[in-house]
Amino acid sequence: MWVKWRKRLRNFTRHGTLAVMKIETRAIHSGRHTDPATGAVSQPIYLSTTFERSPDGEYPRGFSYSRENNPNRQALEQCLADLEGGAEALMFGSGLAVATAVVQGLEAGDHILAPDDVYWGLRKVIGDMFGKWNVEASYVDMSDLERVRAAVRPNTRLIWTETPSNPLMKITDLAGIAAVARAAGPQVMTLCDGTFATPVLQRPLEHGIDLVCHSTTKYLTGHSDVVGGVLIRRHDNYLFERARVSQKYGGAVPSPFDCWLTLRGVETLPYRVRGHAENAARVAEFLQAHRAVETVHYPGLASHPGHAIAARQMAAGGGMLSFQIRGGREEAMKAAARCELFIRATSLGGTHSLIEHRASVEGPASKTPQNLLRLSVGLEHADDLIADLRQALEAA
Ligand SMILES: *Cc1c(COP(=O)(O)O)cnc(C)c1O
């Protein structure tokens, strides 16, 4: 019975019926099939860099050389495209390799609109790498659509969004951004960095956004053990095609093992994200009620300025939050230092809970409040996480 069902599912996959199944099912089955040579249920890791040609010189199985394509990368790309409701995905060696491939697809003199609190690495890519090619950028508060509309220029080619944002968890109205781009003309593409939300909570393509990217380093892999990134498209567009060239010939590709590990992580993604979000909601409520805390930034809280939009475009508030402690930098650093369960480290989306003083990571130019701490809420029990924060906030 089970074997039969698996076979049917395989056929369904081919004919697209899997697309109507729920995300928990697709996270496990999309892009996968039982290994035809051995019956292995978990896809083997294809370390081979090169693949045999048929006597007529063709590559009948679709693989020739692993920089161009590899069975493990293909399975992961198909699965991630499916989870986002997209047509196609490209895997890269890191989230920033994706950003580089996208910005590289623009022409000299083109203009990008990006959030003023965008992931700091994107500013580096635009300024330090492509500034010499005259790629211009302006950074605006994307939680204000009027400002976005006013900042569009005749040479704007890309509106880059990131929601929720880092570290203030600001929410951008994705359908609103898509409408601004449409009104500006077909030359303006939109992209959403959905790393903080994952396709379990938010699917930007459904709101009319053209491209989605993720640092798969974070929730998608989910165990803080692989660096990677993905770009996903809804329909044909030239920036995706140029990124494809960059993947093939720029060569910033992930290894087969990295792809295998990421795809393994994705199997449990819907359950992990639900656990992260439930824990974060409890931690946020605890912090909000604590006298040592000034403000909590969590889109799942009704008091968050982006809550109404988040409730429309996200299934839950996610696993990331930040809070401002009463006092300044010193009180924040001390509280982080006293944590015993939360690990003081950067990055996010893994099973371990992490705490970070963002202003000191971002350096002297940082606009992040000095009393702010960012949490990546992990999958430990919420009671233990709350107890750790309580002792960190209440110790003399
Ligand atoms: C980590 C991160 C990136 C960069 O990804 P890497 O995999 O570290 O290169 C980009 N955007 C967001 C929102 C991130 O959190």
Side-chain angles (χ1 to χ4, degrees):
M1 178 66 200
W2 171 241
V3 173
K4 238 192 203 156
W5 191 74
R6 270 197 76 90
K7 249 193 209 145
R8 269 180 46 205
L9 188 64
R10 273 203 323 265
N11 293 336
F12 281 171
T13 312
R14 241 176 264 131
H15 297 111
T17 312
L18 195 60
V20 302
M21 293 189 185
K22 302 281 191 275
I23 199 162
E24 289 82 355
T25 310
R26 284 153 44 215
I28 294 169
H29 292 282
S30 289
R32 280 56 149 230
H33 41 76
T34 307
D35 178 45
T38 62
V41 170
S42 165
Q43 188 187 30
I45 303 170
Y46 294 90
L47 293 176
S48 186
T49 54
T50 186
F51 297 84
E52 189 181 28
R53 288 184 193 223
S54 58
D56 61 2
E58 296 298 308
Y59 291 104
R61 300 168 197 88
F63 301 103
S64 58
Y65 183 65
S66 266
R67 174 166 32 71
E68 299 200 350
N69 202 0
N70 167 279
N72 297 103
R73 194 170 93 206
Q74 180 173 287
L76 176 58
E77 288 175 342
Q78 285 176 355
C79 179
L80 295 182
D82 178 53
L83 296 188
E84 279 292 357
E88 208 182 349
L90 297 170
M91 270 304 295
F92 288 81
S94 70
L96 278 185
V98 175
T100 301
V102 170
V103 178
Q104 202 167 32
L106 297 171
E107 303 285 330
D110 283 354
H111 174 249
I112 306 174
L113 258 180
D116 54 0
D117 56 350
V118 73
Y119 178 75
W120 63 274
L122 186 79
R123 280 184 194 251
K124 292 276 174 197
V125 169
I126 294 172
D128 296 7
M129 293 175 70
F130 294 100
K132 64 178 185 293
W133 290 2
N134 257 344
V135 170
E136 298 173 32
S138 14
Y139 298 92
V140 294
D141 179 356
M142 293 230 170
S143 60
D144 182 344
L145 285 179
E146 274 318 308
R147 284 200 204 184
V148 179
R149 210 184 318 266
V152 174
R153 297 187 197 165
N155 61 338
T156 302
R157 293 291 174 273
L158 177 63
I159 304 179
W160 183 292
T161 66
E162 186 184 321
T163 184
S165 75
N166 178 31
L168 290 175
M169 309 297 298
K170 283 205 254 176
I171 300 295
T172 300
D173 178 346
L174 291 171
I177 292 288
V180 169
R182 261 197 314 277
Q187 76 285 1
V188 182
M189 293 281 154
T190 51
L191 177 148
C192 177
D193 180 339
T195 300
F196 275 35
T198 83
V200 177
L201 300 182
Q202 166 183 290
R203 285 182 290 281
L205 303 179
E206 291 174 1
H207 301 284
I209 298 293
D210 298 308
L211 296 162
V212 174
C213 73
H214 294 277
S215 166
T216 59
T217 315
K218 317 293 169 52
Y219 289 103
L220 295 184
T221 297
H223 298 75
S224 306
D225 50 13
V226 187
V227 173
V230 68
L231 180 70
I232 299 161
R233 73 172 170 90
R234 183 159 57 97
H235 45 58
D236 291 338
N237 73 66
Y238 77 100
L239 280 179
F240 188 90
E241 290 314 312
R242 289 178 180 184
R244 190 200 308 281
V245 173
S246 175
Q247 183 200 40
K248 254 188 183 177
Y249 304 111
V253 291
S255 76
F257 184 51
D258 286 357
C259 293
W260 185 90
L261 272 176
T262 298
L263 193 56
R264 184 172 79 151
V266 167
E267 290 183 14
T268 54
L269 178 73
Y271 293 93
R272 283 188 289 107
V273 168
R274 212 169 293 154
H276 286 290
E278 280 171 17
N279 278 356
R282 282 205 51 205
V283 168
E285 277 165 26
F286 161 76
L287 290 171
Q288 197 175 37
H290 200 283
R291 64 190 145 67
V293 174
E294 198 176 87
T295 331
V296 180
H297 305 280
Y298 183 61
L301 290 175
S303 57
H304 187 281
H307 179 72
I309 296 164
R312 233 176 26 236
Q313 69 188 25
M314 294 176 76
M320 294 298 297
L321 64 93
S322 62
F323 66 101
Q324 290 172 250
I325 210 164
R326 280 192 206 288
R329 178 188 177 95
E330 200 185 329
E331 283 74 14
M333 295 294 272
K334 270 191 190 152
R338 281 193 293 254
C339 282
E340 290 167 6
L341 192 51
F342 278 85
I343 300 171
R344 286 172 300 280
T346 196
S347 196
L348 58 120
T351 54
H352 306 77
S353 288
L354 306 177
I355 186 164
E356 186 172 49
H357 184 252
R358 287 297 300 171
S360 53
V361 174
E362 292 166 5
S366 166
K367 288 199 214 100
T368 299
Q370 291 291 335
N371 62 343
L372 181 138
L373 291 167
R374 187 185 81 175
L375 302 180
S376 170
V377 180
L379 295 179
E380 302 92 340
H381 198 287
D383 290 349
D384 298 327
L385 296 174
I386 289 169
D388 190 37
L389 290 170
R390 179 179 284 123
Q391 66 78 25
L393 291 170
E394 294 175 10

